């Protein structure tokens, strides 16, 4: 495994572990608090990251394989996110923890197998209107956006960062 891949795996694993710890420490009351940015309950935001953001592995696989990423606009993403929030309004901590562990393990395992060449391979992402590398997609969707959601949940529950 290259040093670059190793560092990305470490960053992802640290993020996932922090996310798991946060969810484990949520009280039932915390789970229902509404996050300011998303206007969803903490539990819904946690499910969104564990299922939706970690689902970005499919797009990373497409980039690495040289396949075209489906042309999904930000408007379509917003609609999918709203639908996801409705469908998972009553998700449980146990359900989210299982997703974080299962999807997190699968994502880390996949990342470990990526080469330098895989990380820099690019594909067109309609939602941003340009090309993105596999590594950039991971950093944008998981580490940056997922991190913003985690900070939003912490703010809603009054948990220190």
């Amino acid at each position: 495994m290259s040093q670059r891949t190793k560092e990305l795996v470490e960053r992802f694993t640290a993020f996932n572990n922090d996310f798991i710890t946060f969810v484990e420490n949520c009280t039932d009351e915390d789970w229902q608090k509404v996050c300011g940015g998303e206007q969803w309950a903490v539990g819904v935001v946690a499910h969104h990251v564990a299922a939706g953001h970690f689902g970005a592995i499919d797009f990373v696989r497409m980039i690495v394989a040289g396949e075209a990423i489906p042309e999904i606009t930000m408007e379509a993403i917003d609609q999918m996110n709203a639908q996801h929030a409705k469908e998972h309004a009553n998700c449980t901590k146990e359900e989210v923890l299982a997703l974080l562990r299962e999807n997190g393990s699968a994502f880390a395992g996949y990342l470990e197998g990526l080469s330098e060449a895989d990380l820099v391979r690019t594909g067109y992402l309609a939602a941003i209107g340009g090309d993105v590398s596999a590594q950039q997609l991971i950093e944008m969707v998981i580490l940056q956006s997922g991190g913003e959601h985690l900070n939003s949940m912490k703010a809603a529950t009054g948990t220190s960062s």
Side-chain angles (χ1 to χ4, degrees):
M1 177 179 349
S2 74
Q3 184 62 31
R4 184 177 185 171
T5 301
K6 183 179 180 205
E7 289 172 3
L8 188 58
V9 170
E10 288 171 357
R11 288 171 58 204
F12 170 76
T13 301
F15 168 77
N16 196 49
N17 289 340
D18 288 348
F19 212 98
I20 288 169
T21 298
F22 173 81
V23 170
E24 287 174 335
N25 291 322
C26 277
T27 65
D28 290 343
E29 182 182 343
D30 288 340
W31 201 246
Q32 299 304 320
K33 289 181 179 175
V34 175
C35 296
E38 299 85 353
Q39 292 301 304
W40 301 332
V42 166
V44 173
V45 175
H47 194 282
H48 167 77
V49 172
H53 283 247
F54 286 13
I57 193 171
D58 293 334
F59 287 172
V60 174
R61 283 187 174 122
M62 289 175 188
I63 291 172
V64 170
E67 299 171 2
I69 300 171
E71 295 226 4
I72 300 175
T73 64
M74 284 307 298
E75 181 180 285
I77 291 171
D78 290 343
Q79 289 173 352
M80 289 185 293
N81 289 342
Q83 184 62 34
H84 182 270
K86 285 180 189 175
E87 291 173 3
H88 300 282
N90 296 313
C91 65
T92 65
K93 279 177 44 173
E94 293 73 23
E95 176 185 351
V96 171
L97 286 168
L99 283 171
L100 287 167
R101 290 182 178 114
E102 181 180 327
N103 292 345
S105 177
F107 209 106
Y110 176 73
L111 290 179
E112 289 172 353
L114 295 178
S115 67
E116 289 278 332
D118 293 332
L119 291 175
V120 299
R121 191 160 291 145
T122 61
Y124 180 78
L125 186 61
I128 64 165
D131 286 345
V132 63
S133 72
Q135 181 171 351
Q136 288 171 323
L137 184 62
I138 294 161
E139 290 172 338
M140 284 186 327
V141 174
I142 303 295
L143 302 175
Q144 181 184 341
S145 184
E148 290 168 2
H149 284 308
L150 181 57
N151 289 337
S152 179
M153 292 186 305
K154 287 179 177 181
T157 61
T159 306
S160 61
S161 298

